[in-house]
């Protein structure tokens, strides 16, 4: 109950704080540059130049506080020793180059980047096309989109039950091992089977992100002018040709946006690995490795921050390209 009241009061303070800021700042600005008198024209012009910055000011302040400052602080920490007491320059980055777990994490992240965005986008495109053509398509869309409502931790727990292992003389509670034993096979500890366990983890993220890709691509498919499709059909194009030569090229920009958005999610993947394997058996990824160094055992903020900077460097170009591509699509 206390938490609920705390949440309500926080929302109320934030809401009324915003109203008070906009009302108060406008009043002060009008007092400094009154829109009346001999200089009314110049005052209105100056006030209009300042007013947008008054509105943007709080947002810029909080963005700087919560986004820019942590980046600068992380970079500074990455140049220091484990407890931050001694400047070590690039020693933490040199250590990264020779660390086996870091190399394993980089390779696994690259593998995730190759598999998850491709499969999520492909399945999302297929689902978008099929659900738009069948009678009960909206129900299918709801079912496919439903995993998006589940947190990564929740999805990891669900799929961990699917991969659950019991000895051969015990009843199998894991769906996969139950199916295997029904066909006469031996139950397997799926999450320890290297390197296939990485793919078993990727399936979870593909399961979640396919719904996202389907919704975006479905909207893009519906935005294709009917005239172009009808013209292709009149010219004798088959359904496959209409799909691959007419529809897909017209939504290629949207496909790229979906692909890159999922790529950013993949680079930051942490929860699924943390819940299901905790980075063991060759499944380590960068975000989980950073967590290990930052918060497990004796924290090493220097090395943890260095891994965080590597992660940010990998994500930033994709984000910039994604934003530029989205702006180009909006024109």
């Amino acid at each position: 109950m206390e938490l609920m009241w705390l949440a309500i009061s926080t929302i109320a303070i934030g809401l009324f704080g915003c109203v008070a800021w906009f009302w108060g700042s406008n009043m002060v600005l009008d007092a400094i540059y009154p829109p009346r008198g001999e200089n009314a024209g110049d005052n209105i012009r100056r006030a209009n130049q300042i007013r947008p910055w008054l509105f943007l000011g709080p947002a810029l302040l909080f963005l700087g506080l919560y986004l820019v400052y942590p980046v600068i602080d992380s970079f500074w920490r990455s140049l220091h020793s484990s407890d931050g007491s001694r400047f070590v320059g690039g020693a933490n980055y040199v250590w990264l180059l020779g660390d086996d777990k870091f190399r394993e994490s980089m390779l696994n992240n690259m593998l995730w980047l190759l598999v998850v965005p491709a499969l999520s986008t492909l399945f999302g495109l297929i689902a978008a096309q099929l659900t738009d053509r069948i009678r009960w398509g909206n129900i299918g869309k709801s079912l496919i989109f439903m995993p998006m409502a589940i947190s990564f931790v929740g999805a990891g727990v669900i799929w961990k039950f699917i991969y659950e292992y019991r000895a051969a003389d015990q009843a199998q509670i894991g769906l996969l091992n139950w199916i295997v034993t029904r066909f006469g096979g031996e139950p397997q500890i799926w999450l320890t089977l290297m390197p296939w366990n990485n793919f078993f983890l990727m399936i979870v993220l593909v399961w979640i992100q396919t719904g996202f890709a389907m919704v975006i691509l479905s909207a893009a498919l519906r935005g294709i002018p009917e005239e172009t499709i009808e013209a292709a059909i009149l010219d004798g194009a088959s359904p496959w040709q209409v799909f691959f030569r007419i529809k897909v090229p017209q939504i290629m920009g949207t496909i790229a946006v979906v692909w890159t958005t999922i790529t950013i999610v993949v680079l930051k993947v942490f929860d699924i690995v943390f819940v299901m394997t905790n980075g063991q058996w060759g499944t380590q990824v960068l975000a989980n490795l950073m967590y290990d160094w930052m918060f497990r055992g004796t924290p090493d903020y220097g090395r943890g921050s260095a891994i965080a900077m590597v992660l940010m460097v990998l994500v930033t170009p994709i984000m910039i390209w994604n934003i530029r591509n989205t702006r180009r699509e909006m024109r």
Side-chain angles (χ1 to χ4, degrees):
M1 197 66 180
E2 289 181 6
L3 288 176
M4 189 185 75
W5 282 114
L6 181 63
I8 293 173
S9 59
T10 302
I11 293 171
I13 290 171
L15 183 63
F16 286 107
C18 289
V19 173
W21 167 259
F22 292 134
W23 180 78
S25 60
N26 269 308
M27 191 176 69
V28 171
L29 188 63
D30 289 339
I32 296 173
Y33 297 109
R36 65 185 72 85
E38 295 180 357
N39 300 320
D42 289 339
N43 288 344
I44 291 172
R45 180 176 55 80
R46 289 171 183 159
N48 287 339
Q49 289 175 342
I50 296 172
R51 205 179 309 277
W53 293 105
L54 288 177
F55 295 160
L56 288 173
L60 292 175
L61 175 66
F62 285 111
L63 279 174
L65 187 63
Y66 287 105
L67 292 179
V68 179
Y69 170 72
V71 171
I72 297 171
D73 186 62
S74 295
F75 178 67
W76 184 246
R77 284 176 182 270
S78 72
L79 302 177
H80 286 73
S81 59
S82 58
D83 59 356
S85 61
R86 186 166 49 87
F87 184 80
V88 297
N92 288 321
Y93 294 96
V94 174
W95 166 82
L96 280 179
L97 296 175
D99 185 63
D100 291 338
K101 274 294 179 183
F102 178 72
R103 286 199 293 271
E104 176 190 314
S105 303
M106 287 291 288
L107 286 174
N108 285 338
N109 270 85
M110 291 301 115
L111 194 60
W112 280 72
L113 284 176
L114 289 174
V115 175
V116 176
L119 289 183
S120 300
T121 308
L122 176 64
F123 291 153
L125 183 61
I126 293 172
Q129 174 66 11
L130 293 180
T131 52
D132 282 341
R133 297 173 64 88
I134 60 177
R135 186 178 179 184
W136 303 103
N138 287 333
I139 295 176
K141 278 184 180 177
S142 301
L143 293 174
I144 296 170
F145 188 74
M146 200 173 290
M148 280 290 292
I150 302 173
S151 69
F152 285 4
V153 173
V157 171
I158 291 170
W159 279 84
K160 199 172 182 182
F161 277 116
I162 292 176
Y163 297 137
E164 187 65 38
Y165 167 80
R166 289 289 185 274
D169 58 344
Q170 297 179 2
Q172 299 298 323
I173 64 170
L175 177 64
L176 199 52
N177 273 325
W178 182 83
I179 294 172
V180 168
T181 53
R182 282 294 175 273
F183 284 95
E186 289 292 319
Q188 302 290 327
I189 310 175
W190 301 104
L191 295 178
T192 66
L193 296 179
M194 299 168 60
W196 305 110
N197 48 2
N198 277 298
F199 294 97
F200 296 145
L201 298 183
M202 292 174 201
I203 290 172
V204 183
L205 194 53
V206 172
W207 179 64
I208 296 172
Q209 293 297 319
T210 295
F212 162 76
M214 178 198 65
V215 170
I216 304 296
L217 295 174
S218 177
L221 286 172
R222 292 190 176 197
I224 296 174
E226 286 292 331
E227 293 81 3
T228 58
I229 299 172
E230 291 172 0
I233 294 172
L234 288 174
D235 287 341
S238 67
W240 285 101
Q241 287 173 322
V242 170
F243 181 69
F244 285 108
R245 296 188 179 181
I246 304 296
K247 291 185 176 180
V248 170
Q250 293 196 58
I251 63 168
M252 194 53 75
T254 309
I255 291 174
V257 170
V258 170
W259 188 300
T260 50
T261 303
I262 297 174
T263 298
I264 294 169
V265 174
V266 169
L267 276 172
K268 297 184 295 182
V269 65
F270 164 74
D271 319 57
I272 294 170
V273 176
F274 181 76
V275 170
M276 298 183 73
T277 63
N278 198 18
Q280 301 179 83
W281 309 298
T283 61
Q284 188 63 283
V285 290
L286 285 174
N288 198 61
L289 183 66
M290 179 194 70
Y291 178 84
D292 284 349
W293 281 104
M294 292 282 276
F295 303 109
R296 286 183 188 277
T298 304
D300 190 326
Y301 297 115
R303 292 179 176 180
S305 299
I307 299 168
M309 294 308 300
V310 171
L311 202 54
M312 195 199 73
V313 168
L314 292 174
V315 170
T316 302
I318 303 170
M319 287 184 64
I320 292 172
W321 185 88
N322 204 2
I323 292 169
R324 294 181 67 178
N325 195 50
T326 304
R327 284 182 176 176
R328 193 163 52 243
E329 287 288 315
M330 291 172 65
R331 287 173 188 164

